[in-house]
Amino acid sequence: MVILLVKRGDENQFLYETSVENSVDDVVRDVVAIFNGRLKVTRICYELEELWKHGTFLPTEMQGLTEEQIKELKLDDPWAKRCAPPGYVEAKDDMGRRCGLAPPPNMQEVLKKAAETAKEIIDKKHVDLRKCMTQKDVSRALDELRGATKIVFPAGLPPHDPVRMELDNVEDLSGTQAANEVIDPSRACLWACGKKLINGNKLSDHLGKNDKSKVTVKLCSSAEGAPGREPVLTEEERKQLMLKAYRKQEEWKKLEQDDDDNYLNSKWADGQNLKRQFHGLNNISWKPSIGK
């Protein structure tokens, strides 16, 4: 099986295992699903932190308003008490986005642990550990978050809560930075060795028939144009090369500082050395021996 190191820009994302006999279309579809799925997990974990701190999301018309303004406009959140977790504690949200009915400390830990586990499953460090990622891994991370949410909020979350919308796949990212990060599957493409992998072809048409190789591919949208080529040397290889060049330069400096006649003190430069060896005159001491 060929291993693809999937990158977005110059940043490693994950390793993906496939066969060179698979079509480019299937590989691109699978890679994009994993990439977008990891983004979804990251967004949920962010909102989950706000959820355990300040409770469920307020209706859109109440967000950002002060208590006085809410009373003056006679607005009410019909979901706050209905969806409040058992034993909730009051924790006002200074940002005015959430109702302020937070889970008790022991239930907060359930959500925290689920978020940590989900982040661990989709972490980029798996590239260094040479562990490939699949859609099953992303689904496992989402199931971890979904299960913890149901435990802490048995009555469910309001339909407008970002966590519920993400888990139900009805999130609206328009106008947010997250919308720029997600890649449209219909416009996604992969590049390898400076060339675009063409839909309808097999991977072998671009990567060869060697099914035991590792190839770096870059994921991007067709609207972005060609991504930058990979550097010839990695950062670590470049550092080692510079270190080797520096050491060699220092050695040359030392040689230049030495006297040109320095080598005459060496045995191999002594013209009489061979003669003394034949006559057994080597290692003779002229100092008088001390008697016993």
Side-chain angles (χ1 to χ4, degrees):
M1 302 295 280
V2 65
I3 303 295
L4 302 182
L5 170 56
V6 180
K7 302 184 74 171
R8 177 72 167 135
D10 294 325
E11 190 175 0
N12 293 343
Q13 298 296 323
F14 55 89
L15 293 177
Y16 176 78
E17 186 177 30
T18 186
S19 170
V20 291
E21 293 303 315
N22 288 340
S23 68
V24 172
D25 304 70
D26 292 340
V27 172
V28 170
R29 192 181 304 111
D30 208 18
V31 167
V32 172
I34 296 172
F35 178 81
N36 288 341
R38 292 174 67 251
L39 292 178
K40 178 187 281 289
V41 171
T42 302
R43 293 194 301 269
I44 294 175
C45 288
Y46 170 78
E47 290 294 345
L48 210 64
E49 183 175 352
E50 296 299 310
L51 181 63
W52 78 60
K53 286 181 179 178
H54 305 293
T56 57
F57 221 56
L58 287 170
T60 306
E61 65 274 12
M62 296 179 63
Q63 292 181 26
L65 300 179
T66 63
E67 293 182 2
E68 291 76 15
Q69 289 172 325
I70 292 174
K71 289 180 180 178
E72 183 179 345
L73 295 172
K74 298 180 180 180
L75 298 176
D76 182 53
D77 181 7
W79 299 94
K81 290 288 181 68
R82 188 189 310 177
C83 298
Y88 66 84
V89 294
E90 294 189 7
K92 183 181 177 182
D93 182 10
D94 294 331
M95 299 294 292
R97 296 172 70 240
R98 295 184 174 273
C99 70
L101 305 182
N106 61 322
M107 290 292 101
Q108 290 183 19
E109 290 300 319
V110 172
L111 294 177
K112 289 179 183 178
K113 186 175 180 181
E116 291 172 358
T117 302
K119 289 178 182 178
E120 177 71 21
I121 293 173
I122 57 128
D123 202 302
K124 293 177 181 178
K125 71 180 182 181
H126 291 307
V127 172
D128 298 327
L129 299 175
R130 299 180 181 180
K131 181 181 177 182
C132 296
M133 194 162 294
T134 66
Q135 288 196 54
K136 289 183 179 179
D137 294 319
V138 176
S139 296
R140 187 157 56 92
L142 292 173
D143 289 342
E144 188 77 28
L145 298 172
R146 184 178 290 106
T149 303
K150 287 181 178 180
I151 292 173
V152 179
F153 294 87
L157 296 172
H160 55 270
D161 191 278
V163 174
R164 176 172 172 177
M165 294 177 70
E166 289 280 5
L167 293 174
D168 291 345
N169 295 318
V170 293
E171 68 274 13
D172 181 12
L173 303 178
S174 55
T176 65
Q177 178 59 32
N180 299 326
E181 298 173 348
V182 174
I183 296 180
D184 183 354
S186 64
R187 308 187 71 178
C189 56
L190 290 175
W191 289 70
C193 305
K195 295 182 179 181
K196 181 180 177 181
L197 306 189
I198 302 173
N199 292 339
N201 287 354
K202 291 184 177 180
L203 283 182
S204 57
D205 296 329
H206 301 277
L207 307 182
K209 296 187 180 298
N210 184 5
D211 217 7
K212 294 183 179 180
S213 58
K214 181 179 178 180
V215 181
T216 298
V217 297
K218 290 197 172 184
L219 175 64
C220 62
S221 172
S222 56
E224 298 173 353
R229 293 180 68 93
E230 282 291 287
V232 178
L233 298 176
T234 63
E235 185 63 21
E236 184 61 29
E237 290 172 339
R238 189 182 67 83
K239 288 180 181 179
Q240 292 298 326
L241 190 63
M242 292 180 63
L243 181 60
K244 187 176 181 180
Y246 173 77
R247 288 173 177 171
K248 192 171 184 178
Q249 185 179 16
E250 291 300 309
E251 289 177 3
W252 279 107
K253 286 182 180 178
K254 289 181 180 179
L255 289 174
E256 289 175 357
Q257 292 173 359
D258 287 343
D259 294 334
D260 291 340
D261 295 337
N262 223 20
Y263 71 93
L264 295 176
N265 295 327
S266 303
K267 284 187 178 182
W268 59 267
D270 185 1
Q272 300 297 320
N273 186 44
L274 183 61
K275 181 178 179 181
R276 285 198 296 271
Q277 284 184 357
F278 280 125
H279 291 283
L281 299 177
N282 278 341
N283 300 323
I284 296 177
S285 175
W286 297 101
K287 293 182 180 180
S289 59
I290 301 175
K292 294 181 181 179

